[in-house]
Amino acid sequence: DFDFSESTYVIDSTTIELCLNLFPWARLKKVRAAVKLNLGLSLFGNIPSFFDFSSGKTPDVFFFDRITFEPGSHYVFDRGYLDSKRLFSIHRAGAFFVTRAKNNMSFRRLYSHPVDKKTGVRCDKTIALNGYQAKKNYPEYLRRVKFFDKETNRYYVFLTNNFDLEATTVADLYKHRWQIELFFKWIKQHLKIKIFWGRSENAVKTQICVAMCTFLLVAIMKKKLKIERNS
């Protein structure tokens, strides 16, 4: 139901809990073990497009260091991935990002753009980051959009480097970030990756890859059946 032509990827991770006695190589804490699946989901068909594995201890934002960003594409992620230096790497690649701003983010307003508050948009500003390190890591301007969502009765503040999108589209892009949460839920519930057939690191990662391949096969079959019904 999303009317957007540019390639758009939602980035997030899910932690898959393991038994420490069976998987000691995946130690997370004293009595816990886990492996983390980092993934980029294309909003066109909700298809996993790129992924990687990391330790359960590894911060999510490190996944950005292993991504080749596509010029003209949009990347949507939550504020757990906020890092000014890595945001600028997306900008330099000619790609765009949409994320939520942290409450304590320091910035200065440069311009305020007119908004239609009936759409839920409360403000649309061009800003610059404050602080020596933040300005050094991201020397360009950013766009800050404040939006009121009637469904949740909450205010959201978004950051993006795309100044051409409608402010409502920025909010809508972030709203569709929840598709990746549904993907992770579907994978865990239907493909039984909580039960592993092997105990080695390679066996665990292989089974997760098999689960995602199964998801893709199901998606392909559903699309074929839909085409056959409509033809």
Side-chain angles (χ1 to χ4, degrees):
D1 62 339
F2 192 47
D3 184 17
F4 196 69
S5 58
E6 287 81 3
S7 297
T8 307
Y9 303 99
V10 181
I11 295 175
D12 207 345
S13 70
T14 185
T15 299
I16 300 169
E17 297 286 342
L18 302 171
C19 175
L20 182 59
N21 291 334
L22 300 178
F23 306 95
W25 52 267
R27 179 183 293 274
L28 178 61
K29 293 183 179 180
K30 189 174 182 180
V31 294
R32 292 179 59 201
V35 64
K36 185 178 291 185
L37 171 63
N38 308 281
L39 186 132
L41 186 80
S42 172
L43 283 184
F44 294 98
N46 294 337
I47 299 300
S49 298
F50 50 89
F51 69 94
D52 199 359
F53 298 101
S54 63
S55 163
K57 300 177 182 178
T58 305
D60 289 344
V61 73
F62 285 9
F63 183 43
F64 281 175
D65 300 334
R66 303 189 292 277
I67 299 175
T68 301
F69 296 102
E70 301 174 10
S73 297
H74 288 76
Y75 297 85
V76 184
F77 43 86
D78 65 24
R79 51 190 169 190
Y81 289 85
L82 268 181
D83 178 272
S84 56
K85 188 174 183 179
R86 291 179 171 88
L87 290 182
F88 195 57
S89 69
I90 301 175
H91 182 75
R92 284 187 301 175
F96 302 102
F97 58 82
V98 173
T99 185
R100 283 183 65 189
K102 290 184 177 180
N103 296 330
N104 61 351
M105 187 184 75
S106 179
F107 67 93
R108 67 182 188 279
R109 180 184 63 84
L110 301 175
Y111 312 104
S112 290
H113 308 286
V115 300
D116 180 2
K117 293 189 176 181
K118 294 179 181 178
T119 63
V121 180
R122 293 296 181 262
C123 66
D124 185 357
K125 299 177 181 179
T126 297
I127 66 169
L129 296 179
N130 285 332
Y132 173 78
Q133 195 61 48
K135 289 191 292 185
K136 181 180 178 182
N137 290 340
Y138 201 104
E140 299 290 335
Y141 296 160
L142 284 164
R143 184 181 181 189
R144 183 178 183 271
V145 176
K146 188 174 183 180
F147 182 81
F148 177 72
D149 188 345
K150 292 182 180 179
E151 293 181 9
T152 60
N153 198 35
R154 291 179 59 187
Y155 288 94
Y156 297 90
V157 179
F158 305 110
L159 288 180
T160 181
N161 62 332
N162 192 322
F163 290 85
D164 297 324
L165 292 177
E166 294 288 339
T168 50
T169 303
V170 173
D172 205 15
L173 274 171
Y174 192 84
K175 182 179 180 180
H176 282 74
R177 191 189 71 81
W178 290 105
Q179 294 298 326
I180 198 168
E181 303 289 349
L182 297 177
F183 170 79
F184 288 144
K185 183 178 180 180
W186 192 93
I187 284 282
K188 290 182 176 181
Q189 285 185 347
H190 296 280
L191 299 180
K192 306 298 182 185
I193 61 171
K194 289 185 177 181
I195 303 172
F196 290 95
W197 302 319
R199 298 184 183 182
S200 70
E201 182 176 358
N202 186 61
V204 169
K205 292 179 178 179
T206 298
Q207 187 169 336
I208 296 172
C209 289
V210 170
M212 287 194 290
C213 289
T214 305
F215 176 89
L216 290 171
L217 289 172
V218 172
I220 291 169
M221 292 302 298
K222 287 179 69 176
K223 184 176 181 180
K224 285 185 176 181
L225 290 172
K226 185 177 180 180
I227 293 173
E228 289 174 359
R229 284 197 298 265
N230 295 334
S231 62

